[in-house]
Amino acid sequence: NHCFFGASRRLMKRRLYLETFGCQMNVLDSELVLNQLRAMGYEQVSTRDGADVVIYNTCSVREHVEQKVWSRLGELREIKASAPHMVIGVIGCMAEREGTDIFRRYPHLDILCGPGELDKLPAMVQSAALSNSNATSPTNTTARQVALTGKNTRRSTTLQAAEDGLETLDLSRSFSPADGRTQAYVRITRGCNKFCSYCIVPFTRGAEVHRPPQNIIEEVRRLADGGYLEVTLLGQTVNHYAYQHGDGRTTTFADLLYQIHEAVPQLPRLRFVTSFPRDFTVEALQAMRDCQRICRYLHIPAQSGSDRVLRLMNRGYTAGQYIELIDRAREMMPDISLASDFIVGFPTETEEEFQMTVELTKHCRFKNSFIFKYSPRPGTHAAQKYPDDIPDEVKRRRNNELLAVQGEICAANNAAMVGQTVDIIVEGEGSLASPPAVDAVKVELGWEKRKAQSSDQKQLIGRTRGDQIVAFNADPKLIGKIVNVKITAARQMTLFGELVN
């Protein structure tokens, strides 16, 4: 019987559950890993129940995200006891930060793979699966597979990226128009050299490696030819891109933007995240201004409005320099949409310094801000040198206050768009609330009347070039297309509109 069921399992498609935590870079990593595992015969499933392989792609930037992963792994302990053949893997930044110490806490874990070693993961999964196929114990140590960069990185800033296994992983991505996807990520750099005092990323993802521009352009071209409407260029500090050619030439970030725009005219939208304020050049702003298919959207974290706190964070710029960059961007592109990140309650932050952050937010009038309470990350300079001396209740109050200020700005920004016609990529059906009452926005909306006109119409959700969310009623056949929508009403986080023929 054991042999029969074992053979049956091998004949069936092996079921893979992959859950992703954290940033867009992790989302892309998961997509590339999934492509590789599908090619090996794995079928992605939406729940870990009954899965043969469970993989968590993890993030170490914030403590609460790590706690979710610990909880997931704890829940798998009993499941693995009744299904020893199951392969459990932790990949990404937590794997790199925790190292093999994690096995003492979770002995039922089979795979540890850092973000700099993901090209090795398919072979690791295969090896663990073979080892576990006849396992009778949920803690079969012979199945353990480990690939961590550690302190002796095999990724070098001088290494030709085309010879790098990770470059092969990026270039091997597969996709089909039948997937119905319209938006994709393309990595242009890996790693980070900034060493902000609170950030673990340079330690988990290693030093910066910039991909060859011709490889990036070819990847974007393939996506555009495959029906994708929008490509987002990714990097921990995306605008720090600078590829050194063998003949001494350097392709800068601005150069890359111009080259992609010219080489792939069939791509309707090109955008990028995340930018670092200190390195954002006038030339890059000019590329955004001059190239009509580059979205005028800039996610550029400020983190604090206090110069002293910024120095403690090792950000390398002042609040005044940040504001100068934002003002210059708005002067060159009045319709630019801006987003930021902030950390409140950084060690020794005073109430006055927090108010400086509030004033910076009011001045810059961001489309949205990602606001977080400071939590020390083990191994970072801040965790080692600065006591976490701001009480949690103070952090929580500052977080809520800044969220409220940003919320008022969001509402005002959205209200100012009423009456404009914008092009959006329709992403899918929605279930958002109806817009404000007609008299509240002083427009002839007729929302409920139009909604009742046709049973074929559904509420659809899309995004503008500035990354604003728009809801409107239309035929679901428009999903995956770019359409024009006139904005007729606004809420704090959502715009509402009507389709323009």
Side-chain angles (χ1 to χ4, degrees):
N1 286 341
H2 176 77
C3 293
F4 173 79
F5 287 117
S8 298
R9 188 183 300 127
R10 286 191 293 272
L11 290 172
M12 293 188 301
K13 276 205 174 233
R14 291 162 290 184
R15 294 155 296 187
L16 166 70
Y17 176 74
L18 175 59
E19 185 173 0
T20 305
F21 301 83
C23 66
Q24 296 99 328
M25 195 72 76
N26 275 11
V27 173
L28 175 58
D29 284 341
S30 289
E31 179 185 335
L32 297 175
V33 164
L34 184 58
N35 284 340
Q36 296 287 313
L37 293 175
R38 278 175 172 166
M40 293 167 56
Y42 284 90
E43 177 185 18
Q44 186 181 20
V45 294
S46 59
T47 174
R48 69 188 186 192
D49 295 337
D52 300 296
V53 177
V54 176
I55 296 176
Y56 296 117
N57 191 359
T58 60
C59 173
S60 281
V61 172
R62 312 208 191 283
E63 183 180 10
H64 78 278
V65 178
E66 286 195 343
Q67 292 301 324
K68 289 182 180 179
V69 177
W70 297 137
S71 176
R72 302 283 202 281
L73 290 175
E75 293 165 357
L76 284 175
R77 193 186 306 270
E78 290 187 11
I79 298 175
K80 179 80 177 269
S82 60
H85 75 276
M86 175 187 284
V87 173
I88 303 173
V90 170
I91 67 176
C93 291
M94 275 183 69
E96 191 66 54
R97 189 181 74 77
E98 290 289 330
T100 55
D101 288 345
I102 196 173
F103 288 125
R104 287 201 292 268
R105 185 174 178 182
Y106 299 101
H108 55 293
L109 188 61
D110 299 298
I111 291 174
L112 276 182
C113 185
E117 307 289 335
L118 290 178
D119 50 307
K120 296 179 178 178
L121 184 63
M124 296 170 69
V125 170
Q126 188 78 340
S127 179
L130 288 172
S131 181
N132 280 1
S133 61
N134 295 315
T136 57
S137 167
T139 57
N140 177 21
T141 58
T142 61
R144 286 179 181 166
Q145 304 288 313
V146 179
L148 303 174
T149 300
K151 295 181 179 179
N152 299 315
T153 176
R154 72 184 178 100
R155 312 297 180 192
S156 166
T157 54
T158 61
L159 182 68
Q160 288 294 323
E163 298 173 358
D164 185 347
L166 281 181
E167 182 66 14
T168 303
L169 185 65
D170 277 296
L171 290 175
S172 68
R173 72 190 301 168
S174 61
F175 53 88
S176 167
D179 295 338
R181 297 180 57 191
T182 58
Q183 296 154 297
Y185 295 122
V186 170
R187 190 190 336 261
I188 68 170
T189 71
R190 307 188 196 98
C192 183
N193 292 347
K194 298 306 180 189
F195 288 94
C196 299
S197 66
Y198 54 82
C199 186
I200 197 69
V201 169
F203 304 98
T204 58
R205 287 193 173 267
E208 282 183 0
V209 175
H210 306 291
R211 297 182 63 201
Q214 63 270 22
N215 288 11
I216 298 168
I217 292 169
E218 178 57 29
E219 192 172 345
V220 173
R221 181 185 288 113
R222 287 178 56 231
L223 288 164
D225 290 344
Y228 283 77
L229 303 176
E230 179 178 284
V231 168
T232 301
L233 306 179
L234 289 185
Q236 252 70 40
T237 52
V238 68
N239 58 305
H240 201 236
Y241 178 86
Y243 184 79
Q244 306 293 329
H245 296 266
D247 58 5
R249 293 180 299 115
T250 300
T251 297
T252 67
F253 179 62
D255 295 334
L256 181 66
L257 291 178
Y258 279 118
Q259 289 175 20
I260 296 174
H261 190 266
E262 181 178 353
V264 195
Q266 66 272 39
L267 180 70
R269 287 189 187 179
L270 179 68
R271 65 171 78 241
F272 53 87
V273 292
T274 293
S275 299
F276 193 79
R278 189 178 65 201
D279 304 314
F280 211 96
T281 63
V282 173
E283 290 78 14
L285 289 175
Q286 289 170 339
M288 295 177 67
R289 180 196 62 192
D290 297 343
C291 301
Q292 63 178 2
R293 287 176 288 105
I294 296 179
C295 296
R296 293 181 175 180
Y297 168 77
L298 194 56
H299 178 205
I300 189 158
Q303 302 299 7
S304 176
S306 160
D307 290 347
R308 188 188 71 87
V309 173
L310 288 171
R311 284 195 299 273
L312 293 180
M313 291 179 169
N314 194 34
R315 293 290 286 177
Y317 56 84
T318 66
Q321 289 169 332
Y322 181 90
I323 290 173
E324 182 181 344
L325 170 61
I326 297 301
D327 290 348
R328 184 185 303 119
R330 278 231 168 86
E331 182 180 353
M332 296 174 66
M333 296 168 283
D335 60 340
I336 193 170
S337 180
L338 301 163
S340 190
D341 292 2
F342 291 99
I343 296 173
V344 299
F346 193 80
T348 74
E349 180 189 61
T350 67
E351 198 64 36
E352 181 182 5
E353 287 169 330
F354 168 69
Q355 291 303 319
M356 292 176 183
T357 299
V358 172
E359 292 306 313
L360 183 145
T361 302
K362 290 179 178 178
H363 176 90
C364 295
R365 304 196 65 77
F366 300 108
K367 174 194 78 77
N368 69 290
S369 293
F370 301 94
I371 302 166
F372 304 96
K373 298 181 297 180
Y374 172 75
S375 61
R377 309 311 299 131
T380 61
H381 180 81
Q384 294 171 354
K385 299 294 183 180
Y386 310 140
D388 185 16
D389 59 352
I390 307 299
D392 189 66
E393 59 269 22
V394 174
K395 292 180 184 178
R396 192 180 308 113
R397 174 181 56 77
R398 291 176 184 174
N399 189 85
N400 291 337
E401 182 178 338
L402 193 56
L403 281 171
V405 170
Q406 181 60 61
E408 292 176 0
I409 295 170
C410 289
N413 288 346
N414 281 353
M417 293 187 67
V418 172
Q420 296 182 27
T421 297
V422 295
D423 64 286
I424 69 167
I425 292 180
V426 186
E427 297 179 343
E429 293 187 22
S431 57
L432 301 176
S434 297
V438 173
D439 58 357
V441 294
K442 296 182 171 60
V443 293
E444 294 182 3
L445 182 60
W447 178 271
E448 295 299 330
K449 179 180 178 181
R450 283 196 306 278
K451 189 161 68 172
Q453 283 178 349
S454 172
S455 59
D456 294 334
Q457 292 202 347
K458 304 287 186 180
Q459 186 185 74
L460 304 183
I461 303 295
R463 288 183 186 268
T464 70
R465 290 175 174 269
D467 201 45
Q468 293 99 345
I469 299 172
V470 180
F472 66 104
N473 287 338
D475 192 322
K477 291 179 181 179
L478 293 178
I479 293 172
K481 300 184 183 300
I482 295 179
V483 300
N484 288 329
V485 173
K486 182 178 181 180
I487 305 303
T488 55
R491 289 192 186 275
Q492 180 174 302
M493 301 303 296
T494 311
L495 297 165
F496 297 85
E498 58 183 9
L499 186 67
V500 176
N501 291 330

